[in-house]
Amino acid sequence: MTNVRLIAIRVGLAALALVALWGVWRFTAERWSLLVDRVYTARMLVIRSTPFGWNGTYLQFEDAIPGLVGLKGFNFVLGPRAGTVPGDDRPIPAFAAEAGDKTSLVFESSLLGWPAPFTLAGTYLSGAPTTWMRHLYYRLSWRKASGAQLAMVWRCEQGWERINGWHNLGIDELIRVEITPAPQ
C-alpha cells in the first residue's frame, strides 16, 4: 500500500511540475524567443536584385536628395530613383543600386514560437483563431562601392492558424539602423 501511495505522490508532483512549467512557458515564451533570435534566426529568402522600394518611414527622408537616409550625423544615399513599387495606399519610391554597389534583402523567422494570447477576434464569426505567434525579420544591407554601408532591420509578428498557416499580423517595427561612412 505504501508503494502505491509513493507512486501516486510522485505522479502528482510530476504533473504539478509540468503544469507549472507550462505556465512559465505560456507567459515568458515570447521573451525566450527574442533571446534565441539574438543568436540565430531561420533564413527564409534572400533577394539580391534592385530596385528596392522604401517610403522613408522612421528615418529622415528628403525630397531635395532622393533616397537620402540620415542618422546621427551620417548620411547614406541609396541610389538613383528607379520608378515606384506598389504600396498599400499609394506607390512607394524605388531606388536602384549604382554600379559596384552590393545589396540584399533577407527574410528570416524566429526558431521559437509562442502560444498566442486568447482573444475574441478569432471566433466562429471572423474565422479560425490565431493559435501561435513568431517574429519575422527583414534585413536590408546596402554596401556602396566607396565602402559606405547601410544595415536596417525590421521586425513584425506572424500568427499561425490552421486554415491559412503563417500570416503577417502586425506592423513592421524598425529595430536597428546602422550607417557606416566610407573609409577616408
Side-chain angles (χ1 to χ4, degrees):
M1 206 58 167
T2 52
N3 281 346
V4 173
R5 185 179 294 165
L6 189 59
I7 290 172
I9 290 173
R10 287 182 180 168
V11 168
L13 288 174
L16 189 61
L18 286 174
V19 168
L21 195 61
W22 178 85
V24 168
W25 173 254
R26 177 92 170 111
F27 296 106
T28 62
E30 183 178 3
R31 289 184 218 127
W32 284 104
S33 177
L34 287 170
L35 210 68
V36 170
D37 289 350
R38 288 183 178 183
V39 178
Y40 183 79
T41 52
R43 184 168 283 181
M44 297 169 54
L45 177 68
V46 177
I47 300 172
R48 297 196 188 281
S49 63
T50 62
F52 291 117
W54 184 53
N55 65 357
T57 305
Y58 304 115
L59 290 175
Q60 174 185 345
F61 189 76
E62 298 180 8
D63 289 331
I65 306 172
L68 176 70
V69 179
L71 179 71
K72 296 182 182 177
F74 296 112
N75 293 324
F76 189 92
V77 178
L78 296 177
R81 286 287 298 264
T84 61
V85 295
D88 290 337
D89 56 349
R90 65 186 198 288
I92 296 174
F95 301 93
E98 296 172 324
D101 289 3
K102 293 181 182 176
T103 63
S104 69
L105 182 61
V106 179
F107 298 96
E108 299 174 339
S109 66
S110 296
L111 291 178
L112 290 179
W114 63 92
F118 176 76
T119 64
L120 293 176
T123 62
Y124 293 107
L125 296 176
S126 64
T130 297
T131 55
W132 283 90
M133 306 281 285
R134 73 177 179 185
H135 288 115
L136 180 66
Y137 295 90
Y138 306 96
R139 299 180 191 275
L140 173 65
S141 173
W142 199 308
R143 183 180 176 91
K144 302 295 256 175
S146 65
Q149 294 181 37
L150 172 68
M152 300 174 78
V153 180
W154 291 265
R155 178 178 59 215
C156 70
E157 287 184 351
Q158 277 193 311
W160 187 89
E161 43 105 345
R162 63 183 164 82
I163 295 174
N164 298 316
W166 290 107
H167 58 280
N168 193 350
L169 278 182
I171 298 171
D172 300 337
E173 171 188 16
L174 184 63
I175 59 171
R176 194 181 85 206
V177 177
E178 292 177 6
I179 297 176
T180 307
Q184 301 298 343

